[in-house]
Amino acid sequence: MTAHRSVSQLLDVPKGTNQCRRHADVSLRNFYLIMSVAGTVIPWAFFASFFASHGPNLPFFIANLFANGAAGGFSIDVMISIAVFWIWSFADAGKNHLRRWWLVIPAGFFVGLSLAMPLYFYLQAAARDKENPSAAPAGG
């Protein structure tokens, strides 16, 4: 058994049941879109609070990312993760001819991995639907 299974396999959709498979794919695409929005709004609620208190002082903001061991460890973990994600998404987008993959770069800089990753997965799902319009349900 392979470790990589499709949503249809995870949902135990019988082969040839395209309607259920399309519904699962659209649900996952919508999940990625919702998580992109949540991954933008939630971090920016924290960032807005910080900037409201301290103004747009970028050096102070960066210093606070490493204010103590816990914050520094978490911050560097996320920075390493976003760098790995950018490299992986570049390679994956090239292999799969995904257009607009580069949107994950400003998404990562201005929001973070919480937007960049679900955005990339949303772009992948939307590209699959565009390549195979008969697989995409009407109105989805």
Side-chain angles (χ1 to χ4, degrees):
M1 180 182 290
T2 178
H4 299 287
R5 294 172 43 167
S6 72
V7 172
S8 301
Q9 290 170 318
L10 291 172
L11 296 175
D12 197 28
V13 176
K15 286 192 182 284
T17 312
N18 289 334
Q19 184 67 19
C20 291
R21 187 166 304 181
R22 286 189 297 251
H23 179 70
D25 290 343
V26 168
S27 295
L28 196 55
R29 187 182 72 213
N30 289 340
F31 170 75
Y32 294 144
L33 183 60
I34 290 166
M35 293 311 297
S36 294
V37 172
T40 300
V41 172
I42 295 169
W44 266 102
F46 287 93
F47 296 152
S49 172
F50 179 87
F51 291 128
S53 297
H54 305 286
N57 186 343
L58 195 56
F60 187 63
F61 178 77
I62 292 170
N64 273 272
L65 291 175
F66 299 94
N68 59 50
F74 188 78
S75 295
I76 201 68
D77 178 71
V78 173
M79 289 176 192
I80 291 168
S81 298
I82 193 77
V84 170
F85 176 72
W86 282 334
I87 292 166
W88 172 83
S89 64
F90 173 76
D92 185 71
K95 182 174 71 174
N96 294 305
H97 310 289
L98 184 63
R99 299 161 87 195
R100 297 187 310 212
W101 76 270
W102 55 267
L103 290 170
V104 302
I105 295 172
F109 271 116
F110 294 111
V111 177
L113 191 58
S114 62
L115 168 59
M117 186 178 289
L119 174 62
Y120 186 83
F121 294 147
Y122 175 81
L123 293 171
Q124 276 185 325
R128 274 193 306 272
D129 289 349
K130 195 171 188 178
E131 279 178 11
N132 191 3
S134 63

